[in-house]
């Protein structure tokens, strides 16, 4: 089955700086890679995703990059703001499978 | 009300109790999921229902019993739980006919077993 590893487990940045979270996956058949943000007391919220036919996707201050050869993908947040503080999860799954395999999460803290 | 809702938001139960968690989705989706989220662990998929039929059960103990009466509602019936079952239980939904498996989560039920 798929195995997803996520690093770092905690990350602190100054407001305005960039944050990068990295994930690796094991199953070369995986082709869907979503990122979720979970704020305290809430469920995970899908913030961006990427499919294996593209290498990069951007949505305002967030971007995701995918390197299929190396089997890793990353979340980039630019111009961080205090409201970006949350736990971020990456996930992967083969297109035909229903099961998302999640990383263990990154606690991001943006310091004012 | 929009999105995925879950009730109750918090639940404390003894090991001999029987309780149920409820999930409702208002997104027109046809697949629903139960996940368990424990501290410092990745989300664990427990059950998947597609078109109201259970399609996956990831070796979950029988003290957890799911029910999906229609595509909008999902229940998780709990009985004789153990303290290690204390966790955040998340419900999610998706539309399997679309070309992706984007899952949308509810806020979760924080369960404490005493």
């Amino acid at each position: 089955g798929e195995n997803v590893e996520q690093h770092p487990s905690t990350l602190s940045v100054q407001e305005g700086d960039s944050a990068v979270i990295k994930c690796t996956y094991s199953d070369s058949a995986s082709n869907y890679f979503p990122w979720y943000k979970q704020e305290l007391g809430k469920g995970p919220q899908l913030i961006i995703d990427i499919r294996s036919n593209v290498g990069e996707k951007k949505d305002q201050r967030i971007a995701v990059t995918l390197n299929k050869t190396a089997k890793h993908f990353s979340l980039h947040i630019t111009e961080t703001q205090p409201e970006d503080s949350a736990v971020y999860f990456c996930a992967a799954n083969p297109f035909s499978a229903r099961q998302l395999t999640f990383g263990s999460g990154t606690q991001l803290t943006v310091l004012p | 009300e929009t999105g995925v809702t879950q009730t109750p938001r918090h639940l404390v139960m003894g090991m001999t109790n029987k309780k149920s968690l409820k999930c409702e989705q208002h997104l027109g989706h046809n697949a629903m999921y139960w996940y368990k989220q424990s501290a410092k662990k990745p989300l664990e998929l427990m059950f998947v229902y597609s078109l109201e039929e259970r399609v996956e059960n990831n070796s979950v103990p029988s003290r957890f019993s799911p029910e999906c009466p229609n595509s909008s509602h999902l229940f998780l019936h709990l009985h004789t739980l153990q303290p290690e079952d204390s966790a955040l239980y998340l419900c999610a939904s998706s539309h399997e006919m679309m070309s992706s498996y984007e899952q949308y989560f509810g806020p979760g039920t924080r369960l404490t077993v005493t």
Side-chain angles (χ1 to χ4, degrees), chain A residues 32 36 38 41-46 49 51 89 93-100 102-105, chain B residues 9 33 35 37 42-43 45 48 50 55-56 58 88 90 96 99-107:
Chain A
Y32 175 61
Y36 287 84
Q38 186 173 23
K42 296 185 178 180
Q45 178 189 8
L46 178 67
D49 57 20
R51 290 172 176 77
F89 293 95
N93 82 317
F95 186 73
S96 59
R98 293 178 177 87
Q99 183 162 339
L100 282 174
F102 284 85
S104 53
Chain B
R9 294 294 310 276
Y33 311 76
Y35 285 88
Q37 187 175 35
L43 277 77
L45 179 66
V48 180
S50 174
V55 293
E56 292 193 35
N58 284 12
L88 181 69
L90 291 161
E96 292 211 329
S99 58
S100 68
Y101 289 101
E102 296 169 4
Q103 294 185 19
Y104 294 85
F105 285 83

Side-chain angles (χ1 to χ4, degrees), chain A residues 5-101:
Chain A
E5 300 209 354
Q6 183 172 346
H7 300 279
S9 57
T10 60
L11 178 61
S12 292
V13 299
Q14 289 294 136
E15 183 178 356
D17 288 351
S18 296
V20 180
I21 302 170
K22 298 182 179 181
C23 289
T24 61
Y25 62 98
S26 61
D27 188 346
S28 56
S30 286
N31 53 13
Y32 175 61
F33 308 93
W35 285 90
Y36 287 84
K37 174 184 181 183
Q38 186 173 23
E39 297 175 86
L40 201 60
K42 296 185 178 180
Q45 178 189 8
L46 178 67
I47 56 172
I48 195 167
D49 57 20
I50 192 168
R51 290 172 176 77
S52 58
N53 57 344
V54 297
E56 182 176 0
K57 183 176 177 181
K58 292 181 79 171
D59 183 3
Q60 300 182 350
R61 295 186 299 107
I62 59 173
V64 57
T65 58
L66 171 66
N67 183 328
K68 283 211 74 180
T69 304
K71 288 195 245 175
H72 65 71
F73 56 112
S74 300
L75 178 71
H76 304 254
I77 306 174
T78 58
E79 300 172 29
T80 53
Q81 300 167 5
E83 52 265 39
D84 295 329
S85 296
V87 179
Y88 291 81
F89 293 95
C90 63
N93 82 317
F95 186 73
S96 59
R98 293 178 177 87
Q99 183 162 339
L100 282 174
T101 301

Side-chain angles (χ1 to χ4, degrees), chain B residues 70-103:
Chain B
N70 56 60
S71 59
S72 298
H73 295 86
L74 185 65
F75 295 89
L76 188 62
H77 304 298
L78 316 171
H79 64 97
T80 59
L81 294 192
Q82 304 298 311
E84 59 264 30
D85 296 323
S86 298
L88 181 69
Y89 288 85
L90 291 161
C91 173
S93 69
S94 69
H95 198 305
E96 292 211 329
M97 298 306 155
M98 297 178 67
S99 58
S100 68
Y101 289 101
E102 296 169 4
Q103 294 185 19

Side-chain angles (χ1 to χ4, degrees), chain A residues 102, chain B residues 34-38 41-46:
Chain A
F102 284 85
Chain B
W34 279 117
Y35 285 88
K36 176 182 179 182
Q37 187 175 35
S38 305
K41 280 184 161 184
L43 277 77
E44 301 172 57
L45 179 66
M46 300 175 72

